[in-house]
Amino acid sequence: MSSEPILVIKDNDSTIGIRARVGEEFAEHEIQLNVMLAYYWDNDLPVIESLIDLFESVVKRTINEVLPHENLLLKYDLITDDEIGKASRFEIHLIEVKADDISLRLDGKILALKGISSKEEYSQGILGLKLKKEDDSNDGIIVKSVEKNIPTEKKISFKEFARQQRLKNNNQ
């Protein structure tokens, strides 16, 4: 078996699975969408921004379990169907992931979620990305290239993570 580091992202209607593997060693975590979305909706938190923050931190933690590192470089395209605060759908297209200077091979590079702006839309599974209109209105898809360097932080509980998210979102 190859010792090349691999990152695998899988999504379905209820979970986002994140798995990192180096040789025989692997770590795997899931984000339970129903739980997280309900929490964000009930607390009037920005859904997409919060999910992206959670996704990035789970990727970091998962990789760190099999490939300890100081800095994680994430490069991805964020595609939404409207400006991020109003979007009901988003996709993350991973381009590059590096733990310190070690590149990870990417399998399942696309995370796509739709109908997440409200409980009703999510339960119906409606809405999709719209084609960009000629008049450059906000009815089209928006692509934003993101490059983040995420340093290793001390471990925190979910309760502390949620508190930090609330504080962060209240300051925006």
Side-chain angles (χ1 to χ4, degrees), residues 52 55 76-79 90-94 109-112:
I52 291 170
F55 173 75
Y76 59 87
D77 286 335
L78 175 63
I79 302 169
F90 79 97
E91 293 183 6
I92 293 175
H93 292 236
L94 288 173
K109 300 186 254 191
I110 297 174
L111 168 65

Side-chain angles (χ1 to χ4, degrees), residues 96-122:
E96 181 179 18
V97 177
K98 278 186 175 181
D100 292 332
D101 289 327
I102 301 171
S103 291
L104 282 84
R105 188 178 90 206
L106 303 174
D107 285 344
K109 300 186 254 191
I110 297 174
L111 168 65
L113 300 174
K114 63 181 177 180
I116 59 173
S117 59
S118 72
K119 295 174 192 175
E120 295 77 25
E121 290 173 357
Y122 183 71

Side-chain angles (χ1 to χ4, degrees), residues 24 34 62 65 70 85 91 93 114 135 144 149 152:
E24 294 292 322
N34 294 338
T62 305
E65 288 180 16
E70 292 297 317
E91 293 183 6
H93 292 236
K114 63 181 177 180
D135 65 1
K144 177 182 175 186
N149 189 22
T152 299

Side-chain angles (χ1 to χ4, degrees), residues 4-11 17-19 21 94 97 104-111:
E4 174 187 26
I6 301 169
L7 177 66
V8 180
I9 308 297
K10 293 183 180 180
D11 63 346
I18 299 158
R19 183 177 187 157
R21 179 181 208 105
L94 288 173
V97 177
L104 282 84
R105 188 178 90 206
L106 303 174
D107 285 344
K109 300 186 254 191
I110 297 174
L111 168 65

Side-chain angles (χ1 to χ4, degrees), residues 2-3 7 15-16 24 28 34 38 41 54 72 80 95 97 103 107 111-113 146 155-156 162 166 169-170:
S2 171
S3 64
L7 177 66
T15 62
I16 300 169
E24 294 292 322
E28 187 170 22
N34 294 338
W41 291 325
L54 179 60
L72 181 71
T80 58
I95 298 167
V97 177
S103 291
D107 285 344
L111 168 65
L113 300 174
V146 177
K155 292 184 178 182
I156 61 172
R166 278 194 304 275
N169 292 323
N170 287 339

